[in-house]
Amino acid sequence: MGDVVFTVLFLLGILVVIVAIIMAVTRRRLVTLWRPKYTYIGLGFYIVLGVMAMIFVQQQGGTEQVSDAELQQGLQAEMQMRDALFNASFSELNPQYLKKQWTFPVSGDTVTVNYTNQIVDRVYINHDAEEGNAITLSYYATPTILYRLNVSKFVELPTVSFTDDTLQVYFDMNHHRFQYNKMQPVLGFLEASAFYNTQIDDSVGTYALYLNVPQNVHIINEGGY
Amino acid sequence: MSSNDIRMGDNIWQQTKWKLKAYNSGFTTVVVVQILFSLFFLSVLDGMTHLSTGNMYMNLQVSIFSIDGVLMFSLIACLIVSLIMASQGAWHENMSVVTTRITATLSTVVYFIILSAVATLTAVSSFYIAVWLAQQFHDTEWIASDYLLPLRTYVICFVLHLVATACGFLAGIALEKSKLLFTGGVLAGFFIVPYVLFWNLKGSEEISEAEPMNYYAVSSVLFMIAIVLYTLAIWIRSRQEVR
């Protein structure tokens, strides 16, 4: 923004120099040089400049905010996933939101889950896999919508490794920060109801890690903490 | 030709034209204040309001550019200009042309109405120029929105300017007449203005389900307040012309 101030001050400086040159050439003071009609010509010019700026501003696109229907869909997906996890109805997890699946062969009969972060509160475990020696880790993520902006594309997959029957799940804990500008022409102090309404659908999106293991495989540190 | 032969309307119009020329600096003052503060909101505050939201994983910050900041300082500038116009010095200058008390006061009111209309247009211009500059010089992505100001914004800006000039004019006249009257008026204003501006806003719980504000109703109330204040000002300034 410093550039903006610099540019405007530079233009104002040029204006002052031009006026100073005119004053020097005509040998008249500004008070006698300036006529009232110049003020109104200047005002007219400024308003025309504003209209031109309005046209330019209108041509500027921008990131679209999601519609009510999309927001509702995201909320429903979130609720459905939370219900399925809470009730341990893992078959009801919507495959539409499966982002990645890893399968690892197990050499022994015990697997240690090493998981330490707070993005997903726990790893949900189910002993429902087919008999054998393979475990399957699935990562689900419903659409992430913040301030009606779909930021799902920025959601990263966890880093997963499996060595010596130890499953390591690691999320990049660097907090993702997004910065947007928005033009809201209506008067803020009279638009309190609209402001509060935008706060209600503030944050939508849930993430889940689901580990499916055979009956014969024992899990250590099931909570994943 | 006696001044009694001149029609009042013509007299008001002639004097308004004279005032528009003589006090053209009132317009430039308001525009300069608008330019300075639109730049201030752009550069220092980087937007008028900031919203922050997120979850444990992400953080989203939205800088909102609205006309409020420019408007606020434009109103203050108009208030100061009208205070100056109500001063004894400006009152004596009214006698530069053939006039009567009522004509001089009415022409000042017409000047304020024109000032309010122009200040509304220049405030909107300042706002759009500021947003356009922000778009050109700022790397941040913009959220698509309706970039056209609705008509109600123009209407409410205009009536707010009217109220500001009326307040300044009346306050200036009251200050000339009596400091007690001025203090009483300012105190009354402090109680009345917030009540009028936020009359339809209730507690935060109710706000979330509140009906959209009827801007035209608010504008009408503000317009009525401006008329009452101007009438009071004209009434205080006038005296019976003895012919």
Side-chain angles (χ1 to χ4, degrees), chain B residues 183-204:
Chain B
T183 315
V186 170
L187 284 175
F190 271 115
F191 285 105
I192 293 167
V193 170
Y195 183 75
V196 170
L197 278 180
F198 304 108
W199 65 285
N200 75 334
L201 299 185
K202 303 177 184 73
S204 60

Side-chain angles (χ1 to χ4, degrees), chain A residues 184-190, chain B residues 41 48 66-73:
Chain A
Q184 190 166 316
V186 286
L187 306 166
F189 70 94
L190 291 172
Chain B
F41 281 110
M48 180 61 200
S66 67
I67 199 169
D68 304 38
V70 179
L71 177 69
M72 196 163 58
F73 286 96

Side-chain angles (χ1 to χ4, degrees), chain A residues 1-5 7-9 12 34-36 39-40 43 46-54 56-65 118-120 139 144 146-147 149 151-152 154-157 171-200 202-205 207, chain B residues 19-24 27-28 31 34-35 38-39 42-43 46 50-68 71 111 118 121-122 125-129 131-138 140-150 152-154 156-157 160 197-198 201 204 207-213 215 218:
Chain A
M1 278 297 112
D3 297 343
V4 179
V5 179
T7 310
V8 173
L9 290 179
L12 284 175
W34 192 262
R35 293 189 182 157
T39 301
Y40 296 104
L43 284 174
Y46 189 67
I47 291 168
V48 169
L49 202 66
V51 172
M52 284 168 65
M54 183 176 74
F56 290 135
V57 163
Q58 264 210 302
Q59 286 170 349
Q60 176 90 11
T63 309
E64 291 286 341
Q65 288 181 295
Q118 297 168 340
I119 289 169
V120 175
Y139 177 60
T144 304
L146 298 177
Y147 191 67
L149 289 168
V151 289
S152 303
F154 300 112
V155 178
E156 290 176 12
L157 294 171
F171 277 93
D172 182 8
M173 285 300 283
N174 290 329
H175 216 65
H176 292 262
R177 288 181 187 279
F178 309 107
Q179 176 83 40
Y180 282 93
N181 285 338
K182 188 185 180 191
M183 188 185 132
Q184 190 166 316
V186 286
L187 306 166
F189 70 94
L190 291 172
E191 195 69 18
S193 57
F195 176 76
Y196 278 94
N197 281 333
T198 57
Q199 300 304 296
I200 295 166
D202 211 5
S203 171
V204 178
Y207 320 107
Chain B
K19 279 182 180 170
L20 287 172
K21 287 177 184 170
Y23 303 120
N24 68 80
F27 290 84
T28 30
V31 173
Q34 288 173 354
I35 293 172
S38 56
L39 278 180
L42 263 179
S43 58
D46 199 13
H50 299 276
L51 284 176
S52 189
T53 182
N55 53 26
M56 285 182 291
Y57 193 51
M58 297 180 170
N59 180 269
L60 177 78
Q61 279 197 326
V62 183
S63 299
I64 293 179
F65 291 78
S66 67
I67 199 169
D68 304 38
L71 177 69
Y111 172 87
V118 172
L121 292 176
T122 52
S125 290
S126 302
F127 172 63
Y128 273 118
I129 292 168
V131 171
W132 180 68
L133 285 172
Q135 285 181 347
Q136 297 309 306
F137 289 90
H138 211 292
T140 311
E141 199 168 338
W142 285 72
I143 296 172
S145 54
D146 189 4
Y147 291 114
L148 268 186
L149 286 176
R152 64 171 191 249
T153 308
Y154 289 90
I156 212 157
C157 279
L160 282 171
L197 278 180
F198 304 108
L201 299 185
S204 60
I207 281 172
S208 60
E209 293 178 8
E211 291 287 312
M213 176 179 267
Y215 285 88
V218 175

